Amino acid sequence: MTLYDRIRARREELNMSQEELAKRLGYKSRSTIAKIESGENDITQSKIVAFAKALGLKPSYLMGLKAAPAPPSLSPSKKKHT
């Protein structure tokens, strides 16, 4: 599944029209959303973040990345001496 497929699938899951998503993102017409969902128009990283927010998702999901576990701390642990 591509970024564009994930956008369309989530929008449809939310019963949101292309026009409504366009308004949420500041686009003037739904045709821009249609072109993005079809892969005709590419989107920037900042727009991926905006799409994720408008669709209630994490940008990493839209990009097809899995959430990585937090890296271990690089600093030595500090113990309190009493």
Side-chain angles (χ1 to χ4, degrees):
M1 186 178 275
T2 68
L3 164 74
Y4 314 109
D5 294 330
R6 285 183 187 90
I7 290 171
R8 181 177 50 247
R10 179 60 174 170
R11 179 185 58 74
E12 290 174 349
E13 184 179 293
L14 295 172
N15 294 317
M16 185 185 302
S17 68
Q18 289 179 336
E19 186 174 342
E20 182 180 348
L21 183 57
K23 285 179 183 178
R24 286 184 181 206
L25 293 166
Y27 290 114
K28 293 183 181 186
S29 72
R30 67 153 204 88
S31 66
T32 303
I33 301 299
K35 288 177 183 178
I36 290 169
E37 289 181 352
S38 71
E40 189 177 330
N41 283 7
D42 204 8
I43 56 176
T44 63
Q45 276 189 323
S46 62
K47 280 296 184 185
I48 291 171
V49 172
F51 269 87
K53 186 175 181 180
L55 295 169
L57 298 170
K58 292 187 181 228
S60 59
Y61 171 78
L62 284 181
M63 294 184 291
L65 306 174
K66 292 184 179 182
S73 175
L74 298 177
S75 61
S77 55
K78 297 179 182 178
K79 293 182 181 178
K80 280 190 170 181
H81 294 283
T82 55

